[in-house]
Amino acid sequence: MKTRRPLADSTAVHDQVYEAIRQALITGRIAPGKGVSLRSLAAELSVSPMPVRDAVRRLVAERALAINPVNKRLSVPSLSADRLEQLSMARLWVEPELAARAAARADTGLVRQLQAIDSDLDEALRLGDVDRYMAANHAFHFALYERAGAEVLLAMAGGLWLQIGPFMRVVFGRVGADVLVADRHAEAIEAIRAGDVDGARRAIAADLSEGMEKMRVAVEAAL
Amino acid sequence: MKTRRPLADSTAVHDQVYEAIRQALITGRIAPGKGVSLRSLAAELSVSPMPVRDAVRRLVAERALAINPVNKRLSVPSLSADRLEQLSMARLWVEPELAARAAARADTGLVRQLQAIDSDLDEALRLGDVDRYMAANHAFHFALYERAGAEVLLAMAGGLWLQIGPFMRVVFGRVGADVLVADRHAEAIEAIRAGDVDGARRAIAADLSEGMEKMRVAVEAAL
DNA sequence: TCCCAATAATTGTGATCACAGTTTTCCGAG
DNA sequence: CTCGGAAAACTGTGATCACAATTATTGGGA
């Protein structure tokens, strides 16, 4: 296919490829431990290997993909209890911090936005729609975090979510989405509405802590 | 130049390019805010644009290089007090944690290694050799952190150092290396030798805290 | 001296090919 | 049926070219 992209203001192909692989990783469409290749990904996405190469470099740098140091082949990082523990600790530091900063800068618009996302999340949960639940959960957290105005920390959080993505799918695959009903989102929203910075921090910390604990149990059972 | 790389066990060209640019960034040979280009970097390093492209993708993902979202041009991220504050907070969480974990797994070999690096560091300081000091300082911290056996956290720390690199050069450029004489390395070594995990955490936290405060002052003065 | 248009140089992006190393496939000997 | 080795397919890497877009330069009219 020799079609050329005519304009530059449109998002570059390698960015679309990045997003496609990222989603496939998070939603578990590419299983952890599985090997992938530039050309196979390119064929699957109907693009040339070139933009895939760019996207993959980025994902490797973000540790969402691993590269075998000896034969240089690509694979999805395997899940390990050790990795999960480190990712949990890191999330448990960064994300409550982002939540606290966001709470300090929140307004009624943010509160309404979070409420809307959370009700969408509840509906997805009620319907048992795992994909929609995961999307809504991601949307909730990052709508909040973005308000913190902390670019560096936000990027760290994004990288951690990307690495944790495959773990989440394992949990859902094992126990189903219904186990995750109990979240602390309402608690967080209430704290944000009240301008309670430290309450928002605690609510998000509790939300994460409980979620990660479920993952820990699921992973331990899976290994 | 059409010379082909004959072997695959040797490090790939794009890795060498990555390391070269990384070093140039950390040591401040490429000034913050300055624009760079694939072809100029390639010419400077006497390689084709291709491996540079790979290395740059990686550096952008690690936020050691920035990419203008409108004209897609590359530049070195500018220093800002806000960015420094976030990087400081992140380092102040990750690195003491790594130090603590390393202290729990330390042996006499590590202690000797750290002592050797630290005496090299002191000599560099005495000679006023900034490059050597920075290399030794990096070596000290990461010789310690690697012992933690925490790959995820170690990678986070590495990324943070890369982002903080340009800031360090500003400090040295302004005040000279002699200001940084007072570090907490001896304190940290002693804690590690004694198996005092929390002491190691505190020593590294103090070391970082003092260093970052100096950077903060320097950056504030520079802006 | 100043300013604006036209040209030239430079930029990131994508496609395609070449190459060497590794992995898989496959077929025939035992 | 099993095993081993040769051939084929596939892998990441690097070079080179094309293209559209942006930036720099230059020249001439006011």
Side-chain angles (χ1 to χ4, degrees):
Chain A
M1 202 178 297
K2 290 178 188 298
T3 54
R4 283 243 168 228
R5 179 181 47 92
L7 46 160
D9 54 303
S10 160
T11 58
V13 177
H14 65 81
D15 280 326
Q16 302 176 15
V17 170
Y18 169 82
E19 209 51 51
I21 301 178
R22 174 190 165 97
Q23 282 303 320
L25 247 31
I26 290 181
T27 62
R29 284 207 309 279
I30 313 180
K34 194 188 170 198
V36 294
S37 80
L38 297 182
R39 287 174 177 86
S40 65
L41 288 170
E44 205 161 331
L45 298 169
S46 306
V47 295
S48 93
M50 200 65 241
V52 176
R53 193 167 155 178
D54 286 342
V56 161
R57 283 265 176 250
R58 191 170 157 193
L59 288 162
V60 168
E62 290 168 330
R63 302 197 146 57
L65 284 178
I67 179 168
N68 185 325
V70 1
N71 59 359
K72 278 110 183 290
R73 268 177 162 80
L74 289 171
S75 61
V76 183
S78 301
L79 276 43
S80 82
D82 186 57
R83 238 169 75 84
L84 180 63
E85 185 266 343
Q86 293 176 51
L87 292 170
S88 298
M89 281 214 78
R91 286 188 67 193
L92 218 43
W93 176 77
V94 197
E95 298 190 33
E97 176 66 27
L98 279 165
R101 293 183 184 216
R105 308 165 98 238
D107 56 9
T108 57
L110 177 65
V111 172
R112 268 201 299 275
Q113 190 187 353
L114 291 177
Q115 283 170 336
I117 297 174
D118 202 39
S119 71
D120 182 55
L121 187 151
D122 286 336
E123 193 183 336
L125 219 42
R126 195 168 47 74
L127 298 173
D129 186 339
V130 175
D131 283 343
R132 188 170 159 197
Y133 166 78
M134 284 177 57
N137 192 35
H138 181 276
F140 180 88
H141 280 90
F142 280 86
L144 177 58
Y145 300 160
E146 271 170 25
R147 195 49 145 269
E151 194 204 347
V152 175
L153 300 182
L154 182 65
M156 290 180 64
L160 292 170
W161 272 72
L162 188 52
Q163 293 182 68
I164 223 94
F167 286 96
M168 300 190 75
R169 175 57 58 160
V170 169
V171 176
F172 293 135
R174 292 250 151 202
V175 298
D178 48 296
V179 184
L180 294 187
V181 162
D183 63 38
R184 303 296 194 100
H185 292 179
E187 197 176 320
I189 292 176
E190 178 52 30
I192 292 162
R193 206 187 51 73
D196 179 3
V197 169
D198 218 60
R201 175 185 266 116
R202 281 196 306 271
I204 293 298
D207 184 61
L208 259 56
S209 185
E210 291 168 10
M212 301 298 284
E213 174 60 17
K214 280 168 189 149
M215 283 194 217
R216 195 189 63 73
V217 173
V219 168
E220 196 142 315
L223 260 51
Chain B
M1 198 178 301
K2 290 179 188 296
T3 53
R4 285 242 167 229
R5 178 182 49 92
L7 49 160
D9 54 302
S10 160
T11 57
V13 177
H14 71 260
D15 279 327
Q16 301 176 13
V17 171
Y18 169 82
E19 208 51 51
I21 301 178
R22 174 188 165 99
Q23 281 303 320
L25 247 31
I26 290 180
T27 62
R29 283 207 309 280
I30 313 180
K34 195 186 170 198
V36 295
S37 80
L38 298 180
R39 287 174 178 86
S40 66
L41 287 170
E44 205 161 331
L45 298 167
S46 306
V47 296
S48 94
M50 200 63 240
V52 176
R53 194 168 156 179
D54 286 343
V56 161
R57 284 265 175 253
R58 190 170 159 193
L59 289 162
V60 168
E62 290 169 330
R63 307 199 180 271
L65 283 178
I67 179 167
N68 185 324
V70 354
N71 58 0
K72 280 108 183 291
R73 269 180 162 78
L74 290 169
S75 62
V76 183
S78 300
L79 275 44
S80 81
D82 185 57
R83 238 169 74 84
L84 181 62
E85 188 265 344
Q86 292 176 53
L87 291 171
S88 297
M89 282 213 76
R91 286 188 65 194
L92 218 43
W93 175 78
V94 196
E95 299 190 34
E97 176 67 26
L98 278 165
R101 293 183 183 216
R105 310 165 96 237
D107 57 9
T108 57
L110 177 64
V111 172
R112 269 201 297 274
Q113 189 186 354
L114 291 177
Q115 284 170 334
I117 297 174
D118 202 40
S119 72
D120 182 55
L121 188 152
D122 286 336
E123 192 182 336
L125 219 41
R126 195 168 47 74
L127 298 173
D129 187 338
V130 174
D131 283 342
R132 188 170 159 197
Y133 165 77
M134 283 176 57
N137 193 35
H138 180 277
F140 180 88
H141 279 91
F142 280 86
L144 177 58
Y145 299 160
E146 271 170 26
R147 195 47 146 271
E151 195 205 346
V152 175
L153 300 182
L154 182 65
M156 290 181 64
L160 291 169
W161 272 71
L162 187 52
Q163 293 183 67
I164 221 90
F167 286 95
M168 300 191 75
R169 176 55 59 158
V170 169
V171 175
F172 293 135
R174 293 247 150 204
V175 299
D178 48 297
V179 183
L180 293 187
V181 161
D183 63 39
R184 303 297 194 100
H185 291 180
E187 197 177 319
I189 291 176
E190 179 51 31
I192 292 162
R193 204 187 52 71
D196 179 4
V197 169
D198 218 61
R201 175 185 265 117
R202 280 197 307 272
I204 293 298
D207 185 60
L208 258 56
S209 184
E210 292 168 10
M212 300 299 283
E213 173 60 17
K214 280 166 189 151
M215 282 193 216
R216 197 189 62 73
V217 172
V219 167
E220 197 141 314
L223 262 47

